[in-house]
Each structure stands twice: as structure tokens, then as C-alpha cells.
Amino acid sequence: MKYTITTPLYYVNDKPHLGSSYTTIACDAIARFQRLNGNSVLFLTGVDEHGQKIERTAESKELLPQVHCDQITEKYKYLWDKLNISYDRFVRTTSEEHTSLVHQFYSKVLKSDDVYMGRQSGWYCVGCEEYKDIDENDKSPICSIHNKELEWRDEENLFFKLSKYQDQIEKLIRIDGFISPKSRKNEIINFVSKGLRDFSISRVNLKWGINVPGNKDHTFYVWFDALLGYVSGSLRDQSSPKLTEENLSNWPANIHVIGKDILRFHAVYWPAMLLSAGMKTPLSVFGHGFLTREGQKMGKSLGNVLDPIELLEYGGIDAMRWYLLRDIEFGEDGDFQMKRFVDIVNSDLSNTIGNLLNRTITMSKKWFKEKIPIDDTSLPESPLKVQSEIKIIEYMESFKESNFKNSANAIIELANSANLYLNEREPWKLIKDLTNKNIVACDLYSVLESCRIIAILLNPFVPNLSIRILNQLNVDSLSITFEKSLHWGLLDPDNGLQDPTPVMDKIEFNESSL
């Protein structure tokens, strides 16, 4: 089956932060899960490079807007590489093929008679690139997201007939699973029930944007431009950007993963635009929450912004990916706590999983000629086989719902069961009587087989750690899939075992960490 997942196209006013890293790691986990599930995945990410905020930021740095965009875009690509993000396409809205596609899309919307010239007035947030609904008595309104004063605008704009699609959007947003989590769905249903209003799709006197054909001094509103990045990123042939659905790979998107602050654009405006152009709407939109740090909103003024590069250097890629997916409930707001970060990573990855693998391989190599013990099928079925089958089902069902926390719990519960089994069976005592050798062989095989399954389940979360575990078990990490690799008893005794080395180093915590 074909499967398309997208991150937001991140606004390049500044370097990537922990929030954008979190979103992208989550999308990467979903993409890796879908690949292991046998699907053909198109994973899109990229940057939104137009708009007044970009223009002003570049001016403040005394840079040309394109130079500024190039610099910030490279920071995103560098970080995504460091985070082992397995994206297939990186979209830039300043690319020639994207500009061509925006013009073609606009032509389709014009043919649907969905554009007219009107006048827009109201309070505008440059940071959000959005007009805000403000009480008429408020003469100095502040943006609740950016905590900055709004600007009054009164200008001639092109408008899109969003109101024309009221009935279709109402039906779409009520489809089960189209908007997740449910709290976000209720928010959008409430918004749409008040009646959709036409929205402006152009700006005047703004040089840094894509020009509107036939309308001098008009550039496309940044959201009308940016949302189409999902389309330009889906082109089969980037060098020949002809807008037909036949020229798009894996269209429409199975899921757009975005922050809750831009849910309306993706769940309402975007589907209406696609309907106007005669194109299929996305299958689902997932609006996740915000990250705070130690209970406070992160901000430069507070001096508590957590640089993802610094966190990577401090704890490593596996630690960062595991904590964000394991501890924060995806879809809700989450709080990053440094002490908890260190404790969870050390407990789960270094101790529960790492030590389990290390000591079991050590015993196996010592007592069974450097090899994996042979599982004696004449002995009773291992309780770990039953436990693994239960936890695999829990893992799969939770992951399909983007419930990373529950899937991670299933992995740790299986590892805990294997540790408990080893402690209860005490193979180091049984082996003293050579008549128990077959029993010890089966016990160690069961634990090593649990470790193999744990490594496969870890792959979407922490692919590097997963590979290190599989390498020590002499399992080819490139050939694993859920369908063929999650069956019990696939460890081959003839493969032998690598020398045991720690697969996850512990992180040292100190109060001044980052």
C-alpha cells in the first residue's frame, strides 16, 4: 500500500527548535513503522520561505531574503541528518518547480470561479501571518502565541470563496479519523459551525513572495503558497512540474502532522483549496501539542530555549528520540524535564534493555561455544514467547493510533519480563549441573529471542540502537520487516554472537545540564 506522511513546512524565520525536532522525529517514527509494515512510503518535510516575517527578519540581519532562507534551510537539513530523519523529499517553497505549481494551482481555482477582489481590514499578526478575531473595544491587541502587538491592516486583496465549501467541509471534518486527537476535532467542528468566511489569498506591497499572475503588486498569501508545498513535494518528476494527479506520487497524503496552532489551515482552508482545484483531500490531519520546559513556555526572553543540537551533544540521538516519543503523550502538550530525560533513558535503554542483552550474550558465549544456544523444541513453550506475542499486538495497535507512549511501554514491559525471567530461572546456578544444559540453552535462547524482537520494535523509535542490538545478535538489520521478522524462533544458532559491548551508554546528570 502507498502511504504519504508530511511534517509542517517549517517557517525559516529562525533556526529549528525542539518543537520542530519533536514533530519531525514523530513523523520519522511513523514513516519507519509504515515501511516495516510493508508500505511504500513518501515522507515529506521542508521549509516555508516566503512572507513578511521572512522579509523583515532578513532586513534586520542586513541580508537578502534568499540568502537568509538558504542559511536557515541548511540548519534544518543539518539537524534532520543528525536526528536520522529518513525523509524522501525536502520541499523548498522558493524552488522553481514550486512556483510553477502554485501558478498552475491558482489557474485551476480561477476556473472554479473561486477568486475575487475585495478589501481586507483588521488586526494582523506577522508572526502567525494571520488576521486575528479581536474584540472591537481592544485598541492595542496582543498575539497570544507570539506575545507581540498586532498590526492594523486595510488593503485590497484577492479572496478565496471558502464559504462556498461550507457543506463539504462540515461533512469532511466529521469523518471518523480525519482530525486527531478528538479534542482538536471538536475545536474545528465548533469553528466551522459558526460559518466559514472567505479568506484573503494575496498581499500587496510585499516583494518576498510568489507573484499573482495578472495582478500587479500582488503576491500570494504565504499560506496559500506554503500549503501547496505538499503538492510540489509529491511530484513524480521534479523537473517537469505539470499539475495533474497522475503526476503525483502517493496522493493524497495519508496524514499531515502539524502543531495545534496551525490546525485550521490544514483541516479547513487546505481541503477547501483542493476541492476548488478538483483534487483529492488528505485522509487525516493530526494536531499535536506544544512543548514546555520544566513547566514553563520556552522563550528567548526567559533564557530557557533548549537547542536540539546541544541536547544531541549532551545525550545522543537515541536518548533524544526515545525520551520525546516515550514520555510525552503525542497529541497533548508535553513538558521537557532534564532530570526525567536522564532517568528514563538510563533506566529504559541502558539498564532494562542494554544490560539484559549484555549479560545474556555473555552467558551464551561462555557456556555454548560462542554461539546462540539451540532451542530444544521438546521442552515446554517459553512463557516469553507468549508474552512477546501479547506485547507485539499492543505495540502494533497503539502505533497505528500514533500512541507512541503505549507502544514504547509495550517494548519495556517485554524487556522487564525477560529480565524477570532470567532472574527467576537463574541459569548461572542451573549450569553448574551439566544435566541442565538443555534447559539453560532454552532459557537463554528465549531471552535472546526476546532481545531480537525488542530490537525490531525499537526500530521506528531509535533505529541506531535497534541496529546495534541486531548486530550483536548477528541479525541483518536491512532485511527486517514486521511480517517476516516478528515470529518467534528466528534466531539462527549457526550465526554465532558478537562480543557483548554496551549498546547504550548512561548519561550523567548534573544540575547545570544545558
Side-chain angles (χ1 to χ4, degrees), residues 166 170 174 188-195:
Q166 177 78 34
E170 280 187 344
R174 291 181 181 276
I188 295 299
I189 288 175
N190 182 55
F191 171 73
V192 174
S193 68
K194 295 176 181 177

Side-chain angles (χ1 to χ4, degrees), residues 405-423:
K405 193 170 187 176
N406 279 3
S407 288
N409 284 340
I411 297 173
I412 297 304
E413 285 165 6
L414 177 56
N416 283 333
S417 295
N419 274 301
L420 181 62
Y421 180 78
L422 206 57
N423 292 338

Side-chain angles (χ1 to χ4, degrees), residues 154-401:
D154 183 8
E155 60 185 33
E156 186 179 63
N157 293 161
L158 289 166
F159 281 76
F160 172 77
K161 295 180 182 177
L162 181 63
S163 57
K164 174 180 171 181
Y165 296 92
Q166 177 78 34
D167 291 344
Q168 287 168 276
I169 295 300
E170 280 187 344
K171 291 177 183 176
L172 179 66
I173 61 176
R174 291 181 181 276
I175 294 174
D176 188 37
F178 177 68
I179 299 173
S180 296
K182 287 184 179 179
S183 58
R184 311 273 183 259
K185 178 178 179 177
N186 295 335
E187 171 193 325
I188 295 299
I189 288 175
N190 182 55
F191 171 73
V192 174
S193 68
K194 295 176 181 177
L196 294 177
R197 293 179 291 178
D198 299 347
F199 72 95
S200 163
I201 62 168
S202 75
R203 297 290 182 267
V204 294
N205 303 318
L206 175 62
K207 296 178 181 178
W208 189 240
I210 297 175
N211 68 296
V212 179
N215 290 271
K216 187 180 179 182
D217 299 328
H218 283 252
T219 55
F220 282 111
Y221 173 41
V222 64
W223 275 104
F224 189 88
D225 161 8
L227 288 164
L228 288 167
Y230 300 134
V231 182
S232 59
S234 300
L235 287 167
R236 294 183 190 277
D237 184 358
Q238 298 284 300
S239 63
S240 179
K242 186 175 181 182
L243 181 54
T244 64
E245 289 202 352
E246 293 73 25
N247 285 347
L248 301 178
S249 300
N250 297 18
W251 189 265
N254 293 75
I255 184 169
H256 292 308
V257 179
I258 45 94
K260 63 181 182 180
D261 56 325
I262 55 174
L263 183 59
R264 290 181 187 179
F265 292 102
H266 287 78
V268 180
Y269 294 19
W270 176 228
M273 288 164 55
L274 290 169
L275 289 169
S276 175
M279 298 177 65
K280 295 185 181 76
T281 57
L283 301 182
S284 67
V285 178
F286 192 102
H288 67 76
F290 293 153
L291 288 181
T292 56
R293 183 178 183 184
E294 312 292 346
Q296 285 188 307
K297 182 178 179 180
M298 283 185 267
K300 291 180 181 178
S301 59
L302 294 173
N304 67 342
V305 174
L306 189 54
D307 188 329
I309 293 293
E310 291 181 9
L311 184 60
L312 272 172
E313 292 173 350
Y314 174 70
I317 180 176
D318 295 310
M320 182 171 169
R321 288 178 64 112
W322 179 254
Y323 174 78
L324 290 173
L325 297 175
R326 159 88 159 112
D327 195 50
I328 297 168
E329 189 170 342
F330 195 55
E332 303 303 321
D333 291 344
D335 187 48
F336 185 97
Q337 299 175 23
M338 186 56 68
K339 180 66 164 59
R340 186 165 174 79
F341 165 73
V342 172
D343 289 346
I344 284 178
V345 170
N346 287 344
S347 175
D348 289 352
L349 304 186
S350 298
N351 296 339
T352 303
I353 293 174
N355 287 347
L356 173 70
L357 178 73
N358 191 285
R359 64 178 178 150
T360 310
I361 288 180
T362 298
M363 288 186 283
S364 298
K365 287 175 72 68
K366 181 179 178 180
W367 300 331
F368 295 93
K369 299 178 180 179
E370 304 285 314
K371 291 188 176 182
I372 296 168
I374 297 173
D375 184 12
D376 188 345
T377 55
S378 66
L379 292 173
E381 184 176 78
S382 169
L384 288 180
K385 176 179 184 291
V386 177
Q387 184 70 356
S388 73
E389 290 168 349
I390 292 170
K391 293 306 168 185
I392 287 169
I393 291 172
E394 289 180 10
Y395 171 97
M396 299 295 281
E397 289 180 349
S398 295
F399 218 113
K400 287 174 183 175
E401 298 296 321

